[in-house]
Structure formats: structure tokens, C-alpha cells
Amino acid sequence: MAGTTAALTAGRAAVPASTTDSALSRLWFGFMTARVTIALVLLLLHASVLLMGQPTMAWAIPLCALYLMACLAVRLFLGPPESTAAFDRQWPLTIGIDVLGCAVLQFTQSAGINYIALFALPVLLASVLGTRLLGLGTAAAVTLLLFVNASWHAAPAEAAYLQAGLVGTGLMAEALLAHQLATRLASQEQLTQLSTQAAIAQGRVNELIIENLPDGILVVDGLGRVQAANPAARRMLLCSADTALAQPLPATLFAEPGWYALAALVQDTVARQSPLVADVSLDNAGTHLRLRASTRLTAATPATPDTGATGLCVLFLQDLRELEARMRTDNLAAMGRMSTAVAHEIRNPLAAIVQANALLGEDLPSPQHQRLTQMIQHNAQRLDQIVEEVLNLSRIHRLAEPAPSLRLDAHVAQYCTEWMQQSGHAGRVQLDLAAPQKAVVFNGDHLRRVLINLLDNAQRYTRQDDGAVVVSTQASDRQVQLSVWSAAAPLETSVQRHLFEPFFSSESRSTGLGLYICRELCEQHGASIAYRRRAWRGTDGNDFHVQFNLPPATAPAAPTHTA
């Protein structure tokens, strides 16, 4: 109530008032119910005395009835005061009425009953729900009334005064102790509620972190029954990014044959009562996924018929491909620094070789010797181009000059023809070029490299027949698109997430740099590359498409290079 809030202000001013509302409300309703009960008992007591023919005051029953009605009115129509003042307008309706009613009954001693014990209720009410001053003041007022009653009609005055003094002392002690206990209980409840709020906030933070973790977290019991799983674990177990959040997991790891490896790891962990780490393979709907699973056991709890185990097993799942991709990224960063340093070191001796070859060519008139010097010059130029590309990759985001514009269809047709001639796959590629007049902002050599990487990738995974690879272009008013489509099986969801990461490949013999280089070269020119699954003339296949930027209206398109 209001008085308690004021009493507990010291040391707890920062605590919101709502933290003690529930405790004060329960105490208030408890006291109001006790008042109604006492009033009802007094009414029944005087009515029974009257029915038994015992002498009693004629106005005692109406007084008790009026007291009962007042207690009921406060209990039913009023609530705990919201004021923080030490004296509230409800106190006259509660403590005042209680003290007045008990004093009248005690002064008259209706039906020969001593009503001193009833004074304990208003003193408790004032001490527990009010301030210390209010509790002591109520006890002092009751003591004064008892002394007045003793001097009013006590036979032996000394005994009556002694009784009034003892009762008053007891009420004072009651007021102090009750208020001290109420203050401590309120403080403890406030601390408990603050701790609960902190625990709830920490729990929400933990849930948010767990929900957004890239690693899967799976909680199972000793029988392999799934208790909880975060979205990453759902994606791994269901091998699907689209239905991972909507589709419920099976109740147990033994429900799916492809999960037996995880179930066996859980059983082994529970049997040994120690954490384990193992690489497992999951098979779900024909999708194969390799995971690194580490287990931890929660604190032991008493075994029950429902769980059949003494604790829970928490599995931390990591996609091995993601781990390998991280390692490859780190290796790439280290290799990039090293290759940049090596490229700078190669340039000096390479320039000396080119210069020496040029001088040597001037002194060798023989045609055979001239062809040899030309071979040296040609390969030196290739080495210089490779060094330049390595340096460009290292400073790909710091290019200052924009790339020239070029006619997309003409260059694509030329590069595709060269690829079929050099790879011996004549007729494998079908061209569907629909943007003959469109120019795009892209470097010609970089476009050649992107297209050759995409063609090599398509040829590696498509079926071995003519027309299985389709290179097409589409144009709109704002954008031009190049697509390399191949009739091949769809890529796994776990593979799609890492397609353009460095050193990531589904084959052990592949370096995993082709698509990464394509993405880096596209981003260098403001273009984008992506993967999708689409149909070409009724046949489903894999499609890698590049979205190009259009050049300014005044920029001339670069002419087509000839081999």
C-alpha cells in the first residue's frame, strides 16, 4: 500500500513501484478479508448471545452489522491505495473504524466479553501496510484508549492500569516487529523480482543469440528425443533452407535413418558421461551433409519415467563445408599477401628477361632464332598478364579508372567460339543472343575470364551431348543479363550458400577459385552474379547469370577483339 512504499523508499528508490504491487495487494486483500471475517464473527456472537437470553446491549447487534457493512464496502469497492503519502484517505475507513469499533465494544463490554485482543488487527494493519510512525501511532492511540477505559470503570485501578500498560507495551512491540518483518519481506521480494527481470532479459538475449547462431544447437535426452533446436540445426537436419523454420522436426533422432550417426553419438556420450567430438554424415531426402558434432551433458537431474535419463545432451553442429570455407578464406588472405609480394618480386627479373630477349632478337637474324625469341616474348607477356591479374585481385576494390564499354553479344559469341575450339567441345554450346546492340561496362579480358570459368563449370557437371549448355543474353531498358545454363542436377542447399566463397568446391580436385574470381571481377565492374534453378525449353537446369550495368549514353562501345 501507500505507506509501505514510503517506508521502503530508503535504499530502494531506483526500484519501480510496480515491483511491490503484487505483494502489497495480496496483503491488503488479506487484511480486508480478515476484517470482514472478524465483523461477521462478532455479529454472529452477539446474535447467539441474544438468542440464548443472555444480557447484552441492544445496540451491539446494529453496531456489529454496521461494522460488517463498512468492512464489506472497503473490501468490495476499494483497492490498495496508489498514493505514496504516509497517511491515506483509506486509513480512516480501515484503521479508524477498527479502533473506534473495538473501543466502543471494550468500553461497554457488551455481553461481558473482553475485546482487547481485537486491537491487534488495526495495529498490524498500520504496521505492515503503513509506515513505522503510523504503526507506532496506532499502538499509542490504542494504549491511551485502554488507559481511559481503565480509569472509566475499573474495580481495582492498579490492576486495570497494569493491564493497559502491558497491552500497550505488547502492541508497541508488535508494531515494531511487524513493520520490520514487512519491510524485510518487501525488500526480498523486490530483489527477487529484479533478479527475475534480469534473468528474463538475459534469457531473451540468449534466445536471440542462439536463434541467429550460424552453428546448429540441438538438445536431446538420453533416448534421442529432440527437446529443442535452433533454426541453424533445423536447416542442417532437414537439409532445406526454405522449410527449416516451418516444418517440425521428428520427435526422435531414430525417426530418420540418415540421423543414426547423431543418435549413436548421443548414446555414446550418455553412456560415457563425457563430452565427445566426431565428424558425422547426414542423409536426408537424397541430400548428403557432413557435420562436425560436439556434445555436452547438462547437470544431472533425477531420472523420471518420461525422460528415462539423468540429464540432457546438447549437440553443437557445424557444417564442415563452412569450416573448410573459413580455413580457405584465411588461407586465401595469407596467399593473397604472399602472392602480391611474389608478384612484385617477379616483375623485376621478368622485365630483365623481356629486355634481354629484345636485345638478343636484334643480334639473331636466323628465322628459327627469331621464332624462339618470339616464344620467349609471348610467354613473358603471359607471365606479366598473370602478375597483373594477381595484383588486380589484391587491389580489386581500389581501381580508379572505370572499365570501357563493349558490345556484349559480339564478345560473348567470340569467346564461346574460342572456348569450343580450344576445349574440343564443338557444338556443345548453344547461343541465344538477344542483345546485339547493347553495350555493357566491363573489361573484355575480364569478361572472357568470367565466361570461360562459367563454361568450364557447366561442362564439368552437365550431360555429355550437344546443346546441353546454353549461353543467352537478355536486354531491357536499364539492364543487360548474360546467362550460362546447363542441363544438370540441382545443387544442394548447403552448396548454394557457399558457391562464391574462395576455395569452396564440392570436388576434392577443384581449387574452388573459379566462381570466386567471377564474383570479384563482376563486383569490380559494378555487376552481380548469382545462381538460380530454371527451365530451358522444358528442361530444368542450373543457371548462372550476370547482371551488367549500362554505360553512359556518350560512351563508345569497344570493338570486338579477334583471335
Side-chain angles (χ1 to χ4, degrees):
M1 285 180 66
T4 305
T5 304
L8 301 180
T9 301
R12 293 177 290 144
V15 179
S18 59
T19 57
T20 57
D21 287 346
S22 60
L24 297 179
S25 298
R26 289 194 301 269
L27 287 172
W28 188 88
F29 284 113
F31 275 112
M32 296 305 107
T33 303
R35 295 176 69 243
V36 172
T37 304
I38 292 175
L40 181 61
V41 169
L42 288 174
L43 179 61
L44 294 177
L45 178 62
H46 285 84
S48 61
V49 169
L50 182 62
L51 291 176
M52 289 187 296
Q54 297 294 330
T56 183
M57 295 293 182
W59 47 264
I61 293 179
L63 177 63
C64 292
L66 185 61
Y67 179 56
L68 176 61
M69 293 175 60
C71 293
L72 280 173
V74 174
R75 176 64 176 79
L76 296 177
F77 301 109
L78 295 180
E82 298 179 358
S83 173
T84 57
F87 184 84
D88 191 85
R89 60 183 177 85
Q90 285 194 14
W91 293 129
L93 301 177
T94 54
I95 297 175
I97 291 178
D98 291 345
V99 172
L100 180 61
C102 293
V104 172
L105 291 175
Q106 178 64 22
F107 279 11
T108 59
Q109 291 193 353
S110 177
I113 302 173
N114 193 330
Y115 298 93
I116 291 179
L118 296 180
F119 287 109
L121 179 62
V123 173
L124 279 175
L125 180 61
S127 302
V128 173
L129 298 182
T131 63
R132 180 185 301 175
L133 180 61
L134 183 61
L136 292 176
T138 304
V142 171
T143 303
L144 290 176
L145 289 174
L146 291 178
F147 277 110
V148 172
N149 179 59
S151 62
W152 182 263
H153 52 49
E158 294 80 2
Y161 285 127
L162 179 60
Q163 182 184 17
L166 291 176
V167 172
T169 303
L171 292 178
M172 290 286 186
E174 175 192 6
L176 289 174
L177 292 176
H179 182 75
Q180 185 69 20
L181 290 175
T183 303
R184 178 165 297 183
L185 288 175
S187 300
Q188 291 298 323
E189 181 163 356
Q190 286 181 348
L191 292 177
T192 301
Q193 291 181 356
L194 287 177
S195 300
T196 302
Q197 292 175 357
I200 292 175
Q202 185 63 42
R204 291 174 179 172
V205 172
N206 293 339
E207 289 178 1
L208 182 63
I209 294 174
I210 292 174
E211 289 292 318
N212 292 276
L213 275 178
D215 297 339
I217 298 179
L218 185 67
V219 182
V220 298
D221 59 18
L223 301 179
R225 289 180 291 197
V226 179
Q227 305 295 322
N230 70 336
R234 291 176 176 272
R235 285 192 293 267
M236 293 177 186
L237 294 178
L238 299 175
C239 298
S240 173
D242 299 329
T243 61
L245 299 179
Q247 181 179 351
L249 289 175
T252 175
L253 293 178
F254 293 99
E256 294 289 338
W259 299 354
Y260 285 168
L262 280 180
L265 182 62
V266 171
Q267 289 183 333
D268 197 11
T269 301
V270 173
R272 298 186 183 187
Q273 289 295 302
S274 62
L276 297 175
V277 179
D279 294 343
V280 298
S281 297
L282 298 185
D283 293 292
N284 190 2
T287 302
H288 181 75
L289 185 64
R290 295 185 302 120
L291 300 176
R292 174 159 296 170
S294 58
T295 60
R296 296 292 187 275
L297 289 173
T298 62
T301 57
T304 63
D306 295 333
T307 61
T310 58
L312 296 175
C313 181
V314 182
L315 288 92
F316 300 91
L317 307 177
Q318 293 178 298
D319 192 339
L320 282 178
R321 288 175 175 171
E322 293 183 358
L323 292 177
E324 293 170 358
R326 295 172 192 170
M327 296 176 60
R328 290 166 179 167
T329 302
D330 295 339
N331 293 338
L332 177 66
M335 190 184 72
R337 293 189 295 268
M338 181 188 68
S339 59
T340 302
V342 171
H344 281 292
E345 293 298 327
I346 289 176
R347 273 192 161 181
N348 292 330
L350 186 60
I353 293 174
V354 171
Q355 184 178 5
N357 181 67
L359 295 175
L360 185 61
E362 295 177 357
D363 297 333
L364 296 175
S366 172
Q368 294 180 350
H369 292 165
Q370 287 292 334
R371 284 196 298 269
L372 292 176
T373 57
Q374 290 176 0
M375 290 178 58
I376 295 175
Q377 181 181 3
H378 176 69
N379 286 278
Q381 291 176 350
R382 288 186 58 190
L383 287 175
D384 184 68
Q385 183 179 1
I386 292 173
V387 169
E388 186 64 28
E389 288 181 357
V390 170
L391 294 175
N392 285 338
L393 283 177
S394 65
R395 57 174 182 265
I396 195 168
H397 299 294
R398 300 191 300 270
L399 294 179
E401 297 182 0
S405 60
L406 52 83
R407 300 289 182 183
L408 181 62
D409 283 9
H411 285 75
V412 168
Q414 175 187 343
Y415 299 152
C416 289
T417 302
E418 293 176 357
W419 180 83
M420 287 187 289
Q421 292 175 352
Q422 296 175 3
S423 61
H425 296 291
R428 288 293 308 278
V429 178
Q430 179 181 353
L431 297 180
D432 182 26
L433 306 180
Q437 303 302 322
K438 288 293 184 179
V440 297
V441 178
F442 218 90
N443 180 273
D445 292 335
H446 289 175
L447 178 62
R448 180 200 302 268
R449 189 167 184 180
V450 170
L451 186 57
I452 289 177
N453 281 338
L454 293 179
L455 289 173
D456 289 340
N457 191 66
Q459 185 272 335
R460 187 181 301 116
Y461 296 105
T462 190
R463 63 174 186 260
Q464 303 298 319
D465 56 0
D466 293 342
V469 178
V470 178
V471 178
S472 60
T473 57
Q474 298 86 32
S476 64
D477 294 337
R478 297 183 177 180
Q479 220 166 31
V480 178
Q481 176 177 289
L482 167 66
S483 298
V484 178
W485 178 91
S486 59
L491 299 179
E492 299 177 4
T493 304
S494 58
V495 174
Q496 295 181 27
R497 295 199 300 266
H498 309 288
L499 273 176
F500 300 98
E501 293 182 1
F503 294 116
F504 178 83
S505 175
S506 57
E507 292 185 354
S508 59
R509 296 183 178 180
S510 177
T511 61
L513 283 174
L515 292 178
Y516 168 74
I517 293 176
C518 291
R519 186 195 68 180
E520 293 296 312
L521 293 175
C522 289
E523 290 181 353
Q524 177 185 357
H525 299 87
S528 63
I529 184 172
Y531 164 82
R532 64 185 174 185
R533 183 76 177 170
R534 73 179 181 97
W536 170 264
R537 296 182 179 177
T539 303
D540 290 334
N542 298 324
D543 179 77
F544 288 88
H545 56 281
V546 179
Q547 298 283 354
F548 296 97
N549 285 335
L550 295 179
T554 57
T560 304
H561 297 283
T562 57

